[in-house]
Each structure stands twice: as structure tokens, then as C-alpha cells.
Amino acid sequence: MEDEKKTFKKKDMPIRRLHDNDEEMDQSEMGGEFADLFQDSLRQPQSGEVVKGVVVQIEQDVVLVDVGYKSEGCIRIGEFLDESGDLTVKVGDEVNVYFERGENIRGHMVLSKKKADSQVAWETIAAAGEGGIIEGKITGKVKGGMTVDVGVEAFLPASQVDLRPGGNMDRFVGQTFQFQILKMNRKRGNLVLSRRVLLEAERDKARTETLATLKEGDIVSGQVKNIAEYGAFVDLGGVDGLLHVTDMSWGRLGHPSEMVKVGDTLKVMVLKFDREKGKISLGLKQTVPDPWLNVNDRYHEGERVSGKVVSLTDYGAFISLEDGIEGLVHVSEMSWTRRVRHPSEILKTGEDVEAVILGVDPGNRRISLGLKQTEVNPWTVIGDRYPVGTKIEGQIKNITDFGVFIGIEDGIDGLVHVSDISWTRRVKHPGEMFSKGQTVQAVVLNIDVENERLSLGIKQLAADPWEEIPRKYRPGSRVNGRVTSVTDFGVFLEIEEGIEGLVHVSELSQEKVASPKDFANVGDELEAVVLSVDVVDKKIALSIKSLQTAIDKAEFASYMGSTGEATSSFGDLLKEKLSKKNEE
């Protein structure tokens, strides 16, 4: 506001001046005019009366208004300030004012703009009456509802704000709406309004019109009102339709909120309409062509494609190739070498990836993808790096009952079967000899690319001692050994480290032995004769019974040697014994 006071100059009283050539005014006519003017100057508004006035001056704390009386009226400037504190009038504006009382100590009549507005508003409200419709602006929240400015302050119960009570009512503050008058009491200054009644009437009217024209197959516009786990409710104009999550997209959705949100305006197709029950099923994806209809024209087996990871499951990852088209990378197709337990070990949601199409099945709406196929299969080239016979070194990754797994390179393990651990030692469990994490050497025995298997051997690092056994232990030779095991069918003797022979129960003694356990104990040192050597099955047959015969024959031969040539050799006697045993 300007510091300099603004003033409004009243029009001068009309005065007729007499000129020489003017006709002389009738004295009685002039007297009547002045009398009327004098009466008007003395006329004063009555207390409680609303009159019109003109703003003539704006001061720091008051606004002066001319209402046609001998003195101006004053109104507190606060009655002319809006919510932001800005002045709403200027000099020359015409305003309604309420006459409160005569001149104050400053010689001004006391007026009120606020009371004038209130009185005018109540007259408008009274004219509308209960059930009538008025316009107002929601100004704030109070306990149980909201306040509305309709010229006077009115109360809007929370239940009457919207069709669905509750929610965040702050969004209504500052907005102007039409309201219906529910109750009014001017004497007490009470006014209760409803917006919901008018909304319900509009909804019922729109519902009637919608139901009368709606039919299946129509493409209609609607607004999302609510979202549930299974879909979204769309207001078509006074009537709601259900847009199920399966009808939102040709692709797969985890939740409706991924596709729509409350307040969205959608173009949907009426899929089903039960006029009697008023139930409407809607479809959003049906408004666009089904992308699976010509999927074979766009995607071919063996092609490399790009997409975004949209979902991870225990069995694989879904990749979005385009709107409505997704492919599945099974967990088994994620890595050539790693044993992937869950897709999250390789991928994360939202990640852009490349994959190779393994198969397209339009009928079942499936595209199979492979992630590992974008890289060279290491199993196809491992034979070039590790030919059969190659000596390798690696850490033991795992130990099982049937062998140990040795890490060759990232993701590729080789198996040393328990039978390939030692040429001579009987290994009941690999854990007897090795521990996880231990570094060992082995030899590549076989590569099965198709089944992705690599066979290793540890015993093959050294020569097979059984190749020398037939030469070292010929039939008929005498050996010494330590009892390593006693069974029901015989006694095992270790004749050198890792090399055992079996003395069958029938070869323990020339006399009948009821049980080998009565004959020897583990740890006993015994002497025996080699009966035979089986290199294929790695078995040596021993005999203690034949040892005595050999000793006797040797002594006899020694004796005969002193008297004459022996008639037969020990070898001949042994062959004869074996022949008889085979016949038995």
C-alpha cells in the first residue's frame, strides 16, 4: 500500500449559475429542490442495516467508505485482507457494508464489511433453504469434519466430504465445490452441509446412463478407484468394473500396482457384463494386439536377444523381451560350470542381459532362453587344454564315499574314483587319506564332454606294482607275511606294502581247521607258498599246507641227492597238487 493516503473526491453539489441571458428560475421550484437535498443529508442508516458504499480512502489501520452520509464510515482494514494478507479492495470500489453505530470519536460512522457479507450470505442461504444447493470453499479441518466458507463459516461432516469417507482429507482444503444444505439455524449461526449427497446423485445418474448403453466388446474410458491384490476397480461413470491382474498385460505381472495406480485414466474393453447383477469384467491388454500371435516372425531359435530381468524364481529368471513377451532362463542354463542353486547368484531384478533363444512355443506362450550359451562352453575345449594323460594339480573341493573332487579351473572339477586312489591299498573311504582343501596331483584319465565329466587318477602317477608281481612271486616260491585280516574263508597276508595274498581255509594246514580264527590272529607273522597270481583281479593265492609238503620234499630231495638223482621235482609235485585240486 502506498504511504501517501488515497482519497476519493465527492462530486460537487450541482449548482445552477444565473447569467444575464438566463431566464429567471421559479423561486418555488428552487425551494423544493433544496429541501429534498437537506432531508437527504440528514438521512442516516439504521443500526443493523446493510447499505452500499464506495471506498474513498485507505489508511494504515482502517478503510474509509462513503455511504452518502455527511461523514464517511470506517472499517478495520483486517476485514479487507485475504488469507495471504493482501488487500482485496482499492479506492473507488463499491462494497456492501453493515451499519453498526453512529460517529465515533474520530467523527466516522462505525461500519463492518464482514457482518455485511454474513448478512447477505444468510439471506442467500435462507432463500435456498434446507435441501438447497450453495457454493463454498473448504478452508480447513476441524474435529469431526471440515470448515467451508459460504459467506459464513459452515460445517462439513467427515462422512459428507466424499463418496467414500476417510482417507486424506487435506487434499480438499482450498477447493471450491457445490454443497447441499442439510441443516441451518441463523439465530445460532449453525450451518451443516453435504457434498456426498450431490456426488451420490451424480453417480446414480451416471450409473443409469452407463448401464443403459454399456455392452460387451465396448472400449470405454474409466478412472482407477482402488487397487487390490487380484486387480483394480475402474469407475466407468457411476458404476465400477473389475480389471483383473491377468487382463492387464499380455506379459506376467506380480501385482496390479506394477501396471496402474489410483487416479489413472484407462481405456479398457468390456469383457463381460452381467446387467442383472451389475457386474462388469474389464480388460486392458485386449485393447492392443496379442504380441504372441506373430511371435515366430520376430524370434528364432539360436538368435541372441536382449532383455530386462523382471522376476526371479527358484527355478529360473524371467526376461522381458518386449511388452507382453517374456522368456525363461532355467537355472540349469545359466552357467556351463557353476552349480547355480538360485538365479540370484547370477542375476538381479532390473538387470539388462543378453541371452540365446533355445526354443519358441507360441501355443503355450513360452520362450526358452539360455544365458550360458552366450559364452563358449569350456567343456568343448577342455580336451585341448588337458589331454588324457596330462598331470594336473589342484585343491580337493569335496570328498564323498565314492571319491574326491579336485578343482581343475573355475567351475570345472575332476573326480578321482576311490578305485583310482591306490594300486595296492584297500581304501574304504577317501577321507582316510585326504582332507578338503588339500592340494594334490592327479592324471587325466578321461573327458566326457557330453555329460560334462572329467575322470582323474592318483594311483596312475606311479607304475602299477602288479606288473612286477608275477615275476617277483612265481608259483612255488616261499614268502613271509603279516596277518592283516582273518575271515571265515581264510587269512590275508601282507607280503609287501599294499600287496596281500589269501591263504584259503583249505590251505591253512594238512589237518582240518574248523575256523581260521583258531589258526591265526591279526599281526601274526606267517610263511606260505605261492600257489598262483591273478594280475587281472589282482589276487595272490597262498598255501601254508603246501609249505610243509615243500619242506618235506626239499628234505627228501636233499637226502636223495646224496644217494642218487631225485625222480621228480617240487614243481612237478605242485602241479600235480593243483591238478587234483581243480578236479575236486
Side-chain angles (χ1 to χ4, degrees):
M1 185 171 63
E2 299 178 359
D3 294 335
E4 185 179 349
K5 294 182 181 179
K6 299 180 180 179
T7 60
F8 176 80
K9 187 177 180 181
K10 297 182 182 179
K11 292 182 180 181
D12 294 335
M13 187 73 68
I15 300 176
R16 297 188 64 185
R17 301 179 61 88
L18 299 176
H19 296 278
D20 294 339
N21 56 350
D22 288 341
E23 296 181 357
E24 190 175 336
M25 181 178 291
D26 182 81
Q27 293 297 322
S28 60
E29 181 181 348
M30 183 177 293
E33 184 175 344
F34 275 107
D36 292 340
L37 291 174
F38 178 73
Q39 291 297 325
D40 288 342
S41 66
L42 295 179
R43 186 178 296 120
Q44 178 175 328
Q46 300 298 312
S47 178
E49 184 180 354
V50 175
V51 297
K52 287 187 179 296
V54 177
V55 176
V56 295
Q57 187 171 326
I58 299 175
E59 298 183 354
Q60 184 175 1
D61 56 347
V62 296
V63 174
L64 298 182
V65 179
D66 177 20
V67 292
Y69 188 55
K70 62 181 179 179
S71 64
E72 289 90 0
C74 67
I75 303 174
R76 288 173 298 175
I77 197 168
E79 296 191 27
F80 292 96
L81 300 179
D82 60 16
E83 296 174 354
S84 302
D86 297 327
L87 194 63
T88 58
V89 294
K90 62 183 182 297
V91 173
D93 284 353
E94 187 176 72
V95 293
N96 290 323
V97 294
Y98 178 89
F99 181 78
E100 293 196 68
R101 64 179 186 273
E103 297 178 351
N104 58 15
I105 58 175
R106 297 172 63 180
H108 295 143
M109 290 186 297
V110 180
L111 307 175
S112 173
K113 168 74 164 54
K114 185 176 181 180
K115 290 183 179 179
D117 291 342
S118 176
Q119 186 163 315
V120 171
W122 273 111
E123 290 174 358
T124 303
I125 294 168
E130 291 187 358
I133 298 174
I134 57 174
E135 186 175 84
K137 181 179 181 181
I138 297 179
T139 55
K141 289 172 59 179
V142 293
K143 184 178 180 180
M146 311 190 81
T147 54
V148 182
D149 180 10
V150 291
V152 295
E153 187 175 88
F155 176 63
L156 177 64
S159 62
Q160 301 299 318
V161 176
D162 202 1
L163 286 172
R164 295 188 179 185
N168 180 21
M169 294 194 298
D170 290 333
R171 68 184 187 276
F172 296 107
V173 176
Q175 295 194 55
T176 301
F177 301 104
Q178 294 283 325
F179 301 93
Q180 186 178 83
I181 301 173
L182 295 184
K183 294 181 181 180
M184 57 179 290
N185 188 323
R186 182 172 182 176
K187 185 176 181 181
R188 295 183 179 181
N190 291 337
L191 182 63
V192 181
L193 307 177
S194 172
R195 176 172 174 261
R196 179 179 177 179
V197 172
L198 300 181
L199 293 176
E200 288 176 342
E202 291 177 4
R203 181 188 63 186
D204 292 342
K205 180 181 178 181
R207 177 184 177 86
T208 301
E209 294 176 354
T210 300
L211 292 177
T213 58
L214 199 66
K215 61 181 182 297
E216 294 180 2
D218 283 352
I219 303 294
V220 295
S221 180
Q223 188 175 55
V224 179
K225 292 180 61 178
N226 191 26
I227 295 177
E229 292 288 333
Y230 50 86
F233 290 94
V234 181
D235 182 5
L236 304 179
V239 60
D240 293 347
L242 173 61
L243 174 60
H244 199 272
V245 65
T246 57
D247 289 310
M248 289 184 175
S249 171
W250 291 112
R252 191 175 53 85
L253 290 178
H255 192 275
S257 59
E258 298 175 17
M259 191 78 179
V260 299
K261 63 180 182 295
V262 174
D264 284 352
T265 299
L266 306 175
K267 289 285 187 179
V268 291
M269 177 181 286
V270 179
L271 303 180
K272 190 175 182 181
F273 177 30
D274 188 334
R275 195 176 300 274
E276 293 182 0
K277 296 181 179 179
K279 292 185 177 181
I280 304 172
S281 297
L282 305 174
L284 183 61
K285 69 182 184 182
Q286 289 81 0
T287 60
V288 295
D290 183 356
W292 284 95
L293 293 178
N294 58 351
V295 70
N296 278 328
D297 298 335
R298 303 191 305 281
Y299 299 99
H300 307 93
E301 186 174 335
E303 288 183 344
R304 181 176 292 215
V305 292
S306 299
K308 186 183 293 294
V309 179
V310 293
S311 179
L312 299 177
T313 66
D314 291 339
Y315 54 85
F318 286 93
I319 312 296
S320 176
L321 304 179
E322 64 176 76
D323 188 20
I325 299 291
E326 293 178 3
L328 171 65
V329 180
H330 193 269
V331 69
S332 62
E333 302 295 343
M334 292 188 173
S335 174
W336 290 113
T337 57
R338 289 181 58 180
R339 294 181 180 180
V340 182
R341 297 181 180 180
H342 193 275
S344 59
E345 299 175 13
I346 302 290
L347 302 170
K348 61 180 181 292
T349 303
E351 181 180 1
D352 292 322
V353 297
E354 285 192 342
V356 172
I357 298 176
L358 303 182
V360 180
D361 184 358
N364 292 309
R365 296 176 177 266
R366 293 177 182 173
I367 294 181
S368 300
L369 302 175
L371 198 62
K372 66 184 183 182
Q373 286 78 6
T374 60
E375 301 175 349
V376 176
N377 182 358
W379 283 98
T380 60
V381 296
I382 195 171
D384 298 333
R385 295 199 298 273
Y386 306 101
V388 173
T390 303
K391 182 189 290 187
I392 60 93
E393 183 176 271
Q395 282 190 337
I396 294 178
K397 299 294 185 180
N398 194 21
I399 299 176
T400 67
D401 294 340
F402 54 85
V404 294
F405 288 92
I406 300 175
I408 306 302
E409 58 182 51
D410 187 25
I412 296 182
D413 297 341
L415 171 64
V416 180
H417 194 269
V418 66
S419 62
D420 288 312
I421 291 177
S422 174
W423 289 112
T424 58
R425 182 172 174 178
R426 288 186 177 184
V427 182
K428 295 181 179 179
H429 192 281
E432 300 172 2
M433 300 179 62
F434 305 103
S435 59
K436 193 173 181 179
Q438 179 182 349
T439 300
V440 296
Q441 291 184 331
V443 174
V444 177
L445 302 181
N446 183 53
I447 298 176
D448 184 350
V449 176
E450 184 176 351
N451 295 307
E452 299 182 354
R453 292 176 182 174
L454 180 64
S455 298
L456 304 175
I458 292 178
K459 70 181 184 182
Q460 287 79 4
L461 292 169
D464 185 355
W466 280 91
E467 294 178 359
E468 296 294 321
I469 293 299
R471 183 184 60 78
K472 293 172 63 177
Y473 302 103
R474 298 180 183 278
S477 59
R478 293 164 64 175
V479 295
N480 290 305
R482 182 178 62 84
V483 176
T484 57
S485 178
V486 179
T487 67
D488 293 336
F489 55 84
V491 175
F492 285 93
L493 293 182
E494 185 180 44
I495 57 179
E496 67 176 61
E497 186 179 0
I499 303 296
E500 293 181 341
L502 172 63
V503 182
H504 194 268
V505 62
S506 62
E507 297 295 333
L508 289 175
S509 176
Q510 292 181 353
E511 298 178 358
K512 185 176 182 181
V513 177
S515 172
K517 295 179 181 179
D518 297 333
F519 183 84
N521 296 311
V522 174
D524 290 351
E525 296 288 338
L526 299 176
E527 187 178 12
V529 172
V530 177
L531 295 180
S532 64
V533 176
D534 184 347
V535 178
V536 176
D537 293 332
K538 294 181 172 53
K539 293 179 180 180
I540 299 176
L542 302 177
S543 174
I544 295 176
K545 181 173 68 173
S546 299
L547 176 64
Q548 186 60 47
T549 302
I551 293 173
D552 292 343
K553 294 297 183 182
E555 290 177 352
F556 176 74
S558 177
Y559 170 75
M560 291 300 293
S562 63
T563 59
E565 186 179 352
T567 59
S568 63
S569 67
F570 174 69
D572 294 335
L573 294 173
L574 185 58
K575 288 179 181 179
E576 181 182 351
K577 179 176 179 61
L578 289 174
S579 177
K580 290 181 179 180
K581 184 176 181 181
N582 290 334
E583 291 176 359
E584 294 176 356

